[in-house]
Structure formats: C-alpha cells, structure tokens
C-alpha cells in the first residue's frame, strides 16, 4: 500500500464511518513500517522482544508508563527557562510529545499571578451582583445542580509565542515557542442561565469577573451576544473536578478569548455598563504598537498553527516523514491548514483530523519525503471566517515588535543538512 | 452525535424550562453588609473608591516599609516591576512601561495595590496607606506634587500622561445594549 492510499484511508476515516478492522490492519502495516524508518530499533527481530509476563498489581490511580516522560516547562519569563516551579510565572505544555488534540489534565499549561491557591469548595462562594434585579450568593453545590454544558475548547495565554517577537533563539523546542496553549473538555453552567437567574439589567453591557487568588485577578468582559451565549462557569475538566492550577473549584470559560479572561478561582461577577480598566486590561495584556499606542481589549485569540513534529531540537533523517501539528482559532473552526516544505514558496493542503471543533485545537498531518537538503518548513492556518494566519513579515509590519502579546505569525522551523531542526524567524 | 452548538442549545432550552419552577432554589440573597466586604472594584470615574485619604509624605514611609524590597528604593531598580520613569520611550525599540509612562488611569493604581499588594499580604494595609502609596508613586513620576494628598474626590481627577495612548479594539469598543 502506498502512502497515497494511506492518505485516502485517513481521509475517509475522517469524513465517513470508521474503517473496517481489515482495512485498518492493512493500512497500519504500511504506516508502521514507514514510521520505523525514523525510529531507533532496539528489538531487531521478534526474538528480541521480551517474553510475556504477569504485570504489576492494579492500582487506584493510573500512572504513565515508566517509558514515557512528559513534563511541563516552568518559566520565570521569556528566556528564563527550567526554573524551580516556585519561581515560575507560567508552565508550558509539551506540545512536541503530545498526540491528538486533548491536553492531558496534568500537562495543561499554567499561568497564574499569585500562585495556585488550594480552595475548600465547601467554603467557596460565588457572588453575583451589580446591575441585576437580585444580588445572589451561590455555593459550588448550587452550581452543580444547575443545567450544564460540556464543551471542548482551547485556552491560550496571550503571551504564547513571546519567544519570537524580536529574535528567534535557535535552541528551543515547540514547547518553548508555543506551549502556552492547551485544549481540554470543560463542564459547567452557561453564563446565560445565571444572567437570567439574577435578572441582569438590559443596560448592563460589561461584566467584571474576579478570582479568589491573592491577586484578586479581575477582568472586564464585554457582554456581546456571542460571549453571553458561549461563556460558562466550569467546575469540570476532562471529566473530573477542576485541578487547583486551573481554578478549583470554579472558573470562567470564555471560548476563543484571551486566557486571562477565563478567570480562575472565580468568586465574583459584577454587572456594569462600562469597563473597569483593571490593571490586567491597561498595564498588562494590551499590545504596544511601533508608534507607541497600545491595542486594548484585543480579546479574541487569533488564527494560529504550529508544526509539532518535526519541530525545534528534533533531528530527522532523509526519507519519509509525517509532518503533524496543531491549529486553532478564537474565531471558530479551522477550515484549512497548508504546509510549505520549501521555505514558503509552494504550499500543500494538510489533512485535518476530525472532528474539527470550533475554538478548539485541530490536529493536522501531511506526508513528506525529505531529500536531505537544508530547508525550512512552515504551517499556515485558515479559519471558517477566512482569517489567514499571517506570515511574520506582514504580522510585524502591523504589530511591531513590542506588543508582547497576541503573537500568531507563522512558525518556521529550519532544517540543516544534518537534519537538525531549529527555531527560525522566517 | 450532537454538535457543541446543539448541545448548548439543549442546555439553554433545559435552563429555560427549569427556571420558572426552581429559580428560588438556587443561591440565596446577598446582604448589603457582606457585599461590602467583597465589592472592592474601582472605576475610572472614581465609583467604588472608599473614604479616606493619604499624602505623598506618608506614602514614602509606607513604600519603604512594604514595597521597596521588590520595587527598589524609588520605584525602580528592584527585582519586580519598575514603577517610575520611561516617559517618552513607548515608541522606541526599548519601551519602558511604568505607572508613569504607560498606565492610563490613576484609579487603576489604587484598585490594583489595594487588592493585590503587598504581594505576600494583599489588602493588609489601611485605606489611608493605599491612598498614600498611590500619591507617592504618582509623585515619583512627577504626576502629583511632593506635598500632594489624594482621596476619592481628587484621585479620579488625576490625568495620567498616557491617558490617550490606547486604541480600543473595534469589535469590543461599543457593546450594543440588548433589546
């Protein structure tokens, strides 16, 4: 079976019914054989494969295989890497080692402004007040008894990509360049339900959301129809209660918007008719342009993508490779990802792994035979609203190099004659 | 399989069905006394500012005791955010964003330090101390005179140098009032 046939099988798998088992086995044979070309063989014949033996005792808690090593990367700021977690302001997800689209809960990126508090859910309260008919206090139990929704969305720190604003350190991984985005399944109460419950004044157009962390991080959220329809108060993350680092017991989820709007440890919603101009929407999370003016309330996370394999610090050999990566957009679904393997001259459409969900990460893949000559590989995402991820040159022309946040230029990986993959600006 | 949109529509429909019969069952009314404990936010027009006042002179002492270890003796040169200077650098290759050069509203400074500082014990100082700190940091930036004093009437009137330095995103700059 040729690689081309395999591609067609993947396509039909995506769009139609699952493959029959026989077709699946036939197709995986080709896939595995080619994958082995780039994998170091430690069991040369089947005789070298260890004999079957009785395994370890079952456990009350599933751990990773001892052969699998996955960890986040704690950072104290751009370029201040691998610091002690107590000094870290964020921890990046290991995008280069992950498959599929769901980020394992313990590897979902973290960013907090005064540590990760451990809150007792029995003592936690949510106050909703301001321009409302009723001022109400809710317990976590109250929220869990309300009608719920479950939705898979990405959350992205607005600082994601900040390594590459001014220069590209060649010796970094995709975890360094893009590890401040993750996708989880979240469960909670629609904001619209709470709005109806408290009787929001029609004239209230902004909502302040505030956390119970030491910093009391707070953001003003514009109450557009889209936001009122899609935001929710989550208590569930990938099927279990939130982890402390992600806001236990409750947090706000605002699909597609800046990570910091998804207020963790949520304790207060206040309805008003203008933004509060908190520190987090003036001094921080505004984008300074080259002319000295700053973009404010640029809340939507832009169309983005990155090749996760091959990516920074990996080494490849000439021959067959399956390029894969992740694409996402705060505008909706990803409609197309294109890949260039010749420094941006020609572009070929990659396959998207289904389902493609709105405001969630989408896995893409494409086969490629590397001829061993130095080159650069780049991905470019387009979303359902026809927003195209910009190339670096036009992106910098618009945003300058001082914006710090909202970097979504196309990511370039350069590959030298020895197959070393390195971070590059373009 | 239902799409997320369908699921969401379902949840909302369920919510609307449940609402009339069981609304009384969720949550309890908040008393005005307990709301006061948490209702700390301050807007640019001064709404939410508490009673009290503080002078630059007093702020200097409070700063030395509670802030200088991280932010430096005069609001710069510390291990954490620089608070002073940088005016005129925003359009350069190395912009220095400080309270003086970048922050558009003086009310934001009071709101932020009142809720979040000192880092290890946020909100632990008196309201007068927070007004004094605000006055002192603004005086270091030449925005409030050395003999200045701030309270809930005067603070919202302070005009920050970079007040007009922001461009609101067109998508969210005018949120329509729902019908």
């Amino acid at each position: 079976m040729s690689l081309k046939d395999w591609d067609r099988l993947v396509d039909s798998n995506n769009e139609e019914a699952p493959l029959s088992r026989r077709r699946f086995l036939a197709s995986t044979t080709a896939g595995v054989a080619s994958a082995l070309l780039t994998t170091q063989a430690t069991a040369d014949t089947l005789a070298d494969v260890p004999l079957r033996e009785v395994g370890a005792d079952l456990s009350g808690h599933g751990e990773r295989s001892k052969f699998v090593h996955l960890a986040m990367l704690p950072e104290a700021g751009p370029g201040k890497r691998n610091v002690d977690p107590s000094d870290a302001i964020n921890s990046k997800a290991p995008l280069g080692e992950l498959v599929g689209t769901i980020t394992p809960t313990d590897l979902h990126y973290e960013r907090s402004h005064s540590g990760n508090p451990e809150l007792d859910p029995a003592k936690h309260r949510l106050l909703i007040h301001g321009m409302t008919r009723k001022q109400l206090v809710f317990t976590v139990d109250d929220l869990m008894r309300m009608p719920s929704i479950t939705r898979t969305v990405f959350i992205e720190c607005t600082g994601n990509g900040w390594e590459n604003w001014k220069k590209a350190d060649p010796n970094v991984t995709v975890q360094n360049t893009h590890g401040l985005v993750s996708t989880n399944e979240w469960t909670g109460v629609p904001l619209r339900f709470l709005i109806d419950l408290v009787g929001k004044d029609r004239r209230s157009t902004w909502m302040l959301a505030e956390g119970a962390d030491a910093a009391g991080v707070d953001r003003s959220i514009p109450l557009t129809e889209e936001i009122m329809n899609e935001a929710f108060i989550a208590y569930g993350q990938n099927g279990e209660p939130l982890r402390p680092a992600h806001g236990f017991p409750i947090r706000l989820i605002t699909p597609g918007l800046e990570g910091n709007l998804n207020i963790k440890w949520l304790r207060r919603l206040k309805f008003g008719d203008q933004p509060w101009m908190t520190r987090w929407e003036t001094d921080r999370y505004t984008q300074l342009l080259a002319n000295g003016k700053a973009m404010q309330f640029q809340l939507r996370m832009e169309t983005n993508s990155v090749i996760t394999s091959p990516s920074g610090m990996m080494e490849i050999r000439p021959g067959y490779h399956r390029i894969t990566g992740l694409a996402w957009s705060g505008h909706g679904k990803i409609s197309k990802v294109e890949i260039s393997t010749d420094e941006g001259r020609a572009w070929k459409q990659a396959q998207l792994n289904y389902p493609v969900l709105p405001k969630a990460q989408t896995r893409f893949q494409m086969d490629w035979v590397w001829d061993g000559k130095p080159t650069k590989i780049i991905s470019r995402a387009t979303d359902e609203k026809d927003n195209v991820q910009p190339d670096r040159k036009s992106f910098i022309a618009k945003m300058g190099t001082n914006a710090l946040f909202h970097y979504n230029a196309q990511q370039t990986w350069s590959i030298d004659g020895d197959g070393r993959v390195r971070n590059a600006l373009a | 399989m239902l799409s997320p949109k369908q699921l969401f529509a379902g949840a909302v429909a369920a919510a609307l069905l449940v609402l009339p019969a069981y609304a009384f069952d969720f949550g309890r009314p908040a008393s005005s006394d307990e709301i006061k404990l948490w209702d700390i936010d301050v807007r640019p027009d001064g709404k939410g500012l508490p009673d009290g006042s503080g002078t630059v002179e007093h702020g200097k002492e409070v700063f030395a005791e509670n802030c200088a270890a991280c932010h430096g003796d005069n609001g710069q040169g510390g291990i954490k955010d620089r608070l002073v200077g940088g005016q005129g650098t925003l359009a350069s290759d190395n912009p220095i964003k400080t309270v003086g050069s970048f922050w558009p509203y003086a009310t934001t400074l009071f709101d932020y330090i009142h809720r979040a500082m000192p880092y290890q014990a946020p909100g632990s100082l008196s309201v007068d101390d927070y007004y004094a700190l605000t006055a002192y940091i603004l005086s270091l930036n030449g925005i409030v005179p050395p003999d200045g004093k701030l309270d809930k009437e005067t603070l919202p009137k302070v005009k920050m140098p970079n007040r007009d330095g922001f461009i609101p995103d067109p998508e969210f700059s005018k949120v329509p009032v729902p019908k």
Side-chain angles (χ1 to χ4, degrees):
Chain A
M1 178 170 286
S2 74
L3 295 173
K4 220 167 173 182
D5 292 335
W6 168 241
D7 283 348
R8 206 166 317 137
L9 280 175
V10 174
D11 269 345
S12 65
N13 186 18
N14 285 339
E15 284 161 5
E16 295 157 20
L19 292 168
S20 75
R21 184 169 163 77
R22 228 173 74 195
R23 279 172 71 203
F24 180 72
L25 287 176
S27 59
T28 46
T29 315
V32 167
S34 45
L36 279 180
L37 292 175
T38 53
T39 310
Q40 186 132 28
T42 52
D44 284 333
T45 81
L46 296 185
D48 296 331
V49 176
L51 295 176
R52 291 179 285 128
E53 57 182 40
V54 174
D57 293 340
L58 302 193
S59 66
H61 186 260
E63 300 291 345
R64 291 196 171 88
S65 162
K66 67 178 180 183
F67 300 107
V68 175
H69 304 285
L70 294 172
M72 288 195 285
L73 178 75
E75 284 185 335
K80 295 175 189 164
R81 303 182 193 108
N82 290 312
V83 299
D84 187 280
S86 65
D87 294 325
I89 64 160
N90 63 48
S91 271
K92 291 178 168 177
L95 298 191
E97 281 85 51
L98 300 181
V99 297
T101 52
I102 298 290
T103 314
T105 311
D106 60 333
L107 300 172
H108 189 296
Y109 90 86
E110 292 179 20
R111 169 76 173 107
S112 66
H113 297 89
S114 52
N116 291 330
E118 180 85 83
L119 303 181
D120 179 350
K123 293 180 180 164
H124 189 73
R125 295 291 181 273
L126 173 65
L127 168 65
I128 307 185
H129 69 130
M131 291 173 68
T132 58
R133 203 169 62 247
K134 297 181 209 160
Q135 328 276 318
L136 294 177
V137 176
F138 299 97
T139 63
V140 177
D141 279 347
D142 285 331
L143 296 168
M144 292 181 73
R145 288 189 302 135
M146 294 176 189
S148 69
I149 58 161
T150 294
R151 185 169 168 184
T152 300
V153 290
F154 78 81
I155 299 180
E156 182 178 21
C157 178
T158 68
N160 203 22
W162 66 7
E163 298 277 359
N164 281 5
W165 273 108
K166 289 184 189 282
K167 56 181 175 20
D169 179 342
N171 299 312
V172 295
T173 66
V174 67
Q175 184 170 15
N176 293 117
T177 60
H178 288 78
L180 290 174
V181 60
S182 296
T183 293
N184 271 192
E185 183 205 81
W186 304 91
T187 296
V189 182
L191 176 63
R192 184 73 90 171
F193 181 80
L194 293 165
I195 283 176
D196 290 345
L197 208 55
V198 298
K200 178 182 89 70
D201 187 318
R202 191 179 58 81
R203 292 160 301 176
S204 166
T205 47
W206 288 81
M207 174 181 84
L208 186 78
E210 181 183 270
D213 47 339
V217 170
D218 56 337
R219 284 299 314 257
S220 304
I221 295 168
L223 295 174
T224 63
E225 281 295 312
E226 180 188 358
I227 292 173
M228 285 195 288
N229 285 339
E230 294 193 24
F232 57 105
I233 315 300
Y235 47 76
Q237 179 180 12
N238 288 342
E240 61 172 332
L242 306 183
R243 297 285 175 99
H246 301 293
F248 181 79
I250 54 169
R251 78 177 304 175
L252 184 63
I253 300 284
T254 56
L257 305 186
E258 290 185 343
N260 71 87
L261 257 65
N262 296 258
I263 296 288
K264 295 183 281 190
W265 313 289
L266 183 71
R267 79 167 190 178
R268 193 161 69 102
L269 294 175
K270 183 178 188 178
F271 290 92
D273 59 5
Q274 57 182 270
W276 280 258
M277 301 298 179
T278 75
R279 188 250 169 137
W280 307 108
E281 55 214 26
T282 52
D283 163 50
R284 198 61 66 86
Y285 305 128
T286 51
Q287 290 65 245
L288 190 59
L289 305 176
N291 65 6
K293 301 277 183 188
M295 289 294 300
Q296 189 180 28
F297 294 110
Q298 186 183 343
L299 304 179
R300 201 180 286 278
M301 295 313 293
E302 291 81 1
T303 317
N304 211 337
S305 73
V306 65
I307 294 171
T308 56
S309 181
S311 62
M313 305 308 286
M314 293 181 184
E315 278 191 41
I316 62 169
R317 286 188 273 166
Y320 170 76
H321 293 278
R322 179 144 290 259
I323 295 176
T324 184
L326 291 163
W328 62 97
S329 166
H331 295 272
K333 290 181 187 176
I334 291 296
S335 60
K336 182 170 75 174
V337 176
E338 296 158 292
I339 293 173
S340 172
T341 55
D342 62 358
E343 312 191 4
R345 283 186 286 275
W347 295 85
K348 190 181 161 191
Q349 203 162 325
Q351 294 155 5
L352 303 183
N353 284 15
Y354 283 56
V356 175
L357 300 174
K359 304 176 185 177
Q361 285 178 297
T362 296
R363 169 81 42 190
F364 63 84
Q365 53 178 317
M366 188 184 89
D367 65 63
W368 175 48
V369 177
W370 182 45
D371 59 11
K373 291 184 188 134
T375 188
K376 288 174 180 174
I377 59 173
I378 312 163
S379 66
R380 173 171 79 188
T382 303
D383 65 32
E384 62 178 333
K385 304 269 168 65
D386 293 329
N387 299 292
V388 181
Q389 183 184 3
D391 63 70
R392 179 174 162 91
K393 199 177 160 195
S394 45
F395 177 76
I396 295 297
K398 186 179 157 206
M399 292 299 292
T401 57
N402 291 329
L404 272 177
F405 309 108
H406 286 269
Y407 186 92
N408 74 316
Q410 294 161 20
Q411 170 68 33
T412 299
W413 301 115
S414 74
I415 302 171
D416 70 12
D418 293 324
R420 287 184 295 230
V421 187
R422 293 293 182 266
N423 180 33
L425 284 187
Chain B
M1 273 281 287
L2 293 170
S3 72
K5 209 168 168 183
Q6 287 168 312
L7 285 174
F8 177 74
V12 170
L16 295 174
L17 286 176
V18 167
L19 186 57
Y22 296 108
F24 67 91
D25 213 13
F26 295 118
R28 62 164 178 83
S31 73
S32 52
D33 281 348
E34 63 179 345
I35 291 176
K36 263 186 215 151
L37 294 173
W38 282 15
D39 192 14
I40 56 172
D41 52 89
V42 174
R43 299 198 315 199
D45 60 6
K47 196 172 174 192
L49 279 171
D51 292 330
S53 66
T55 62
V56 172
E57 198 186 349
H58 179 54
K60 187 173 182 174
E61 293 164 26
V62 182
F63 189 90
E65 207 163 305
N66 296 281
C67 319
C70 290
H71 295 287
D73 280 343
N74 293 302
Q76 48 187 315
I79 53 171
K80 291 295 178 186
D81 293 34
R82 178 173 167 176
L83 308 175
V84 174
Q87 280 145 340
T89 67
L90 295 183
S92 73
D93 285 342
N94 292 300
I96 299 165
K97 295 196 280 185
T98 73
V99 171
S101 69
F102 194 60
W103 291 41
Y105 302 100
T107 49
T108 305
L109 179 60
F110 179 92
D111 176 87
Y112 180 68
I113 61 178
H114 178 236
R115 73 170 56 236
M117 291 291 138
Y119 184 81
Q120 297 295 352
S124 61
L125 307 179
S126 71
V127 167
D128 286 351
D129 285 349
Y130 285 114
Y131 274 117
L133 279 176
T134 305
Y136 177 62
I137 293 166
L138 294 174
S139 81
L140 288 174
N141 283 290
I143 297 164
V144 161
D147 61 350
K149 179 181 168 183
L150 291 174
D151 58 27
K152 68 178 183 184
E153 303 301 326
T154 51
L155 178 60
K157 297 195 180 93
V158 173
K159 172 105 195 263
M160 299 295 277
N162 197 41
R163 170 64 189 84
D164 300 320
F166 291 81
I167 306 164
D169 187 290
E171 182 176 4
F172 300 113
S173 60
K174 283 213 171 71
V175 184
V177 174
K179 281 172 194 148

